[in-house]
Amino acid sequence: EAGVAQSPRYKIIEKRQSVAFWCNPISGHATLYWYQQILGQGPKLLIQFQNNGVVDDSQLPKDRFSAERLKGVDSTLKIQPAKLEDSAVYLCASRRGNSYNEQFFGPGTRLTVL
Amino acid sequence: KNEVEQSPQNLTAQEGEFITINCSYSVGISALHWLQQHPGGGIVSLFMLSSGKKKHGRLIATINIQEKHSSLHITASHPRDSAVYICAVRAQKLVFGQGTRLTINP
C-alpha cells in the first residue's frame, strides 16, 4: 500500500511570510497527526485528527498555526506569519482507528525560516 | 524530567560492532515504538512492542514492562545503519524520546 505522502519536501521562506504543508494519509486511516520536530529533538505533537474532527490541538500555537482536514482524508497545516523558531521538520503520520494500530510517518517537510 | 529518556544521545562506532541504544520511560504505556530517522527527515517504524522481544534481520528490540525500559540492539553494524533512532511510547498519546544519533564508520 502507498505510504503517507507529504509536500513539499523542502521549503525556505522569510520570517513573516506564510506557508502551507499538505499531507495525504494512508487510505483508510482515520487518525492523522501533525508533528513539529526541531533539530536535535524528538517530534512534538501539534494536532491530532480523528476523521475530520480535532482530537488534540493543545500544543498547536493557534495564534499562527492552523490545520484542517475538511473531508477526513488529506490535511493542510498552515503557518501565518512564520517566525525564525518555526524552522523544523513537519511530519505527518496516520493510523487506523484504534490506538493498538501502528502509526506510519510521512517523509516530512523541512522548513527553513530566514 | 522528560517522560521518555534515551541514552546515549550520540554514539559513534566502527563497522561490525554490536550497538545498544536504551530507552527508559516513566508513564504507563500500551506499546513502545522504535523509529529510524534518516537525514532527509522521514521516519520509518522499526518495531512496535508491548512485551518481550522482537527481531528483524540484524535488529533486536526488547522491553521490560516492570522496569519501564527498552533496548534496541544492532548486530554487525554497517554504515547504512547511521541514522537517528527514536524511542516513542504510547500513553494517552505518542510521547517521543529525544533520539540517539548513531554514526557507523567504515
Side-chain angles (χ1 to χ4, degrees):
Chain A
E1 68 185 350
V4 177
Q6 287 187 249
S7 68
R9 291 297 313 277
Y10 304 92
K11 188 75 177 179
I12 301 173
I13 61 173
E14 293 183 314
K15 61 182 178 184
R16 291 187 288 273
Q17 284 189 315
S18 301
V19 65
F21 313 128
W22 174 82
C23 171
N24 191 20
I26 293 173
S27 177
H29 283 198
T31 308
L32 184 147
Y33 306 85
W34 282 103
Y35 293 92
Q36 179 194 58
Q37 186 179 21
I38 292 171
L39 187 66
Q41 299 180 16
K44 181 186 86 170
L45 178 67
L46 293 175
I47 189 167
Q48 176 185 346
F49 290 96
Q50 182 75 15
N51 296 308
N52 60 350
V54 175
V55 173
D56 183 353
D57 64 355
S58 57
Q59 296 194 90
L60 186 74
K62 297 180 185 66
D63 57 332
R64 297 184 301 105
F65 286 65
S66 64
E68 58 184 17
R69 194 186 184 199
L70 293 176
K71 296 182 180 178
V73 181
D74 54 351
S75 175
T76 55
L77 175 70
K78 295 179 183 177
I79 308 175
Q80 184 177 4
K83 294 185 176 181
L84 296 177
E85 57 261 35
D86 298 331
S87 295
V89 174
Y90 290 85
L91 293 158
C92 179
S94 72
R95 180 168 57 80
R96 286 193 187 281
N98 71 60
S99 62
Y100 296 99
N101 293 122
E102 191 170 348
Q103 193 165 309
F104 293 86
F105 289 83
T109 296
R110 183 177 296 277
L111 173 68
T112 302
V113 182
L114 303 175
Chain B
K1 189 178 187 299
N2 293 332
E3 292 173 306
V4 181
E5 294 277 354
Q6 286 185 236
S7 64
Q9 283 192 275
N10 293 283
L11 178 58
T12 300
Q14 290 300 121
E15 183 173 357
E17 287 189 38
F18 181 81
I19 303 299
T20 297
I21 299 171
N22 295 299
C23 174
S24 296
Y25 53 92
S26 57
V27 295
I29 69 169
S30 57
L32 182 144
H33 299 254
W34 280 103
L35 309 167
Q36 181 191 56
Q37 186 171 35
H38 280 282
I43 289 179
V44 173
S45 178
L46 299 174
F47 296 103
M48 182 176 73
L49 63 165
S50 53
S51 65
K53 175 179 172 179
K54 286 191 176 181
K55 184 176 189 294
H56 186 254
R58 295 180 294 106
L59 302 177
I60 303 166
T62 64
I63 187 169
N64 185 319
I65 297 293
Q66 287 73 31
E67 295 186 2
K68 294 188 175 178
H69 181 269
S70 175
S71 293
L72 175 69
H73 305 285
I74 305 175
T75 62
S77 60
H78 190 276
R80 64 174 174 266
D81 298 326
S82 298
V84 174
Y85 291 84
I86 302 172
C87 169
V89 300
R90 178 161 295 284
Q92 294 284 353
K93 56 188 175 186
L94 206 55
V95 182
F96 294 83
Q98 79 276 27
T100 295
R101 182 173 297 278
L102 174 66
T103 303
I104 304 296
N105 293 319

